[in-house]
Amino acid sequence: MDFTIHHTTWPLAKPFSISRGTRTVAEVLVAEIRDGDVVGHGECVPYARYGESLDSVTAQMESVRPAILAGLDTDGLQSALPAGAARNALDCALWDLAAKRAGKRIWELMGLDAPQPVTTAYTISLDTPDAMQANAASNRDRPLMKLKLTGEGDLDRVAAVREAAPESDLIVDANEGWTPEMVEPFSQKLAELGVKMIEQPLPAGNDSALADLAHPVPICADEAAHTRDGLSDLVGRYDIVNIKLDKTGGVTEALALRAAIKDAGLDAMVGCMIGSSLSMAPATLVAQGCRFVDLDGPLLLKQDHQPGLNYQGSIVHPPERALWG
């Protein structure tokens, strides 16, 4: 057995902005677990919003190196590390390794149906209404667009995009940038503009007001939702929960969370940080049956893995064996 961690920087095709700032590159860590000639890979994206950095996530992975070399499996990993980016990379690498050892596809090992292609949202970065309109116009043939918002000026941004892409379904993501006073009037206007979902309008931990605010557009939890722990607190505040593997700590918990969301009477969405096809590949399993899918990370990069995921417009296909699983 051998275990290595690689830091990779993926330049973005153009700067990408949300309410918390702008990025020009995606910084990822790749876990590589080798057993003889068989190698499993998993990628994660450390996220400062959750107190993570490249160094802290690397240290977390290094802390379980002896256990990995001694044969730690995905079940044992769930208690060895907390949910987060480090556990995600290792969980996905261990599943990839297990599939390659067995000579089977990952869904066969998991007892799942073979995944089918899904339609992903395409994200329009936060900008001025005119700039977002121009971006939307060049992508007007995409069936689903996700607009990054921030608060003031958001209704103008959405109206501008709607004018540019009248046939596209729209979902919006405030990334915790609204105040409670914005929710009801913004939701009403966004409903009139045909918006299908509002993602995380209020800060996580300060979102109790959502239980008492009228919102004709369904509201989705993102920063407020990580694993099955705490899911019950979201009922009554949110209608949808966004599952991201870098929050759940891997595909193992992500699949369990998807089932728990359904049991709680909520809808599921699968999302991503900005990473390569190796980050998105495990999430295509979780995407099956979700109300919304947002796995467009590789579409925002200048280049990607070869082979990467197969995107045909906004249709993303399950991974080939050479990539993952």
Side-chain angles (χ1 to χ4, degrees):
M1 294 285 291
D2 191 20
F3 169 43
T4 56
I5 303 167
H6 306 284
H7 168 215
T8 303
T9 299
W10 296 97
L12 304 188
K14 55 186 176 182
F16 184 86
S17 299
I18 67 172
S19 63
R20 286 189 289 270
T22 300
R23 285 195 285 166
T24 58
V25 297
E27 302 274 3
V28 309
L29 292 170
V30 176
E32 181 178 289
I33 304 175
R34 180 182 297 273
D35 183 6
D37 294 332
V38 182
V39 185
H41 298 90
E43 181 177 293
C44 70
V45 184
Y47 203 52
R49 168 63 180 80
Y50 305 131
E52 296 176 333
S53 67
L54 292 168
D55 288 343
S56 71
V57 172
T58 298
Q60 278 190 303
M61 286 195 275
E62 287 288 359
S63 73
V64 294
R65 174 181 292 276
I68 291 172
L69 297 180
L72 181 71
D73 61 13
T74 55
D75 288 338
L77 179 66
Q78 305 311 301
S79 57
L81 283 178
R87 195 175 79 185
N88 177 31
L90 294 175
D91 185 71
C92 293
L94 287 169
W95 274 113
D96 189 33
L97 181 68
K100 289 173 177 174
R101 279 171 169 163
K104 296 182 177 181
R105 295 312 310 267
I106 189 73
W107 46 88
E108 296 177 286
L109 288 188
M110 292 179 167
L112 303 173
D113 293 335
Q116 300 302 307
V118 294
T119 299
T120 179
Y122 180 81
T123 304
I124 304 296
S125 175
L126 176 66
D127 210 322
T128 64
D130 287 346
M132 293 180 73
Q133 184 178 60
N135 193 348
S138 63
N139 287 282
R140 63 187 304 154
D141 292 333
R142 294 189 183 275
L144 179 63
M145 293 187 197
K146 176 176 175 177
L147 316 184
K148 289 293 189 178
L149 302 182
T150 187
E152 291 299 325
D154 282 348
L155 297 182
D156 291 337
R157 292 180 175 95
V158 179
V161 169
R162 172 52 75 208
E163 183 179 355
E167 302 302 320
S168 300
D169 284 339
L170 302 181
I171 58 179
V172 303
D173 183 5
N175 284 115
E176 307 178 282
W178 292 3
T179 65
E181 293 74 23
M182 293 175 174
V183 174
E184 289 192 353
F186 278 30
S187 183
Q188 180 60 50
K189 182 60 178 177
L190 292 176
E192 295 170 7
L193 290 167
V195 170
K196 304 298 185 183
M197 184 194 76
I198 300 167
E199 190 174 342
Q200 199 65 53
L202 301 183
N206 192 25
D207 56 1
S208 60
L210 291 175
D212 301 312
L213 294 173
H215 53 276
V217 179
I219 292 181
C220 177
D222 181 8
E223 286 88 348
H226 290 253
T227 66
R228 286 170 290 173
D229 292 340
L231 180 61
S232 61
D233 295 335
L234 306 181
V235 177
R237 301 180 187 181
Y238 297 93
D239 309 288
I240 306 168
V241 176
N242 189 351
I243 305 168
K244 292 180 179 175
L245 272 65
D246 279 307
K247 295 189 302 178
T248 64
V251 67
T252 302
E253 175 62 21
L255 289 168
L257 176 58
R258 186 184 65 181
I261 291 167
K262 180 179 180 180
D263 289 344
L266 303 173
D267 285 327
M269 172 184 180
V270 66
C272 65
M273 310 302 185
I274 301 179
S276 77
S277 282
L278 184 57
S279 281
M280 308 302 126
T284 63
L285 301 183
V286 186
Q288 306 300 305
C290 286
R291 182 169 175 179
F292 295 106
V293 174
D294 178 21
L295 297 178
D296 65 342
L299 300 179
L300 306 177
L301 304 179
K302 281 186 179 179
Q303 60 187 44
D304 189 18
H305 282 281
Q306 295 298 325
L309 286 176
N310 177 15
Y311 287 85
Q312 296 178 322
S314 292
I315 304 297
V316 55
H317 293 258
E320 297 295 328
R321 189 188 302 270
L323 175 65
W324 184 84

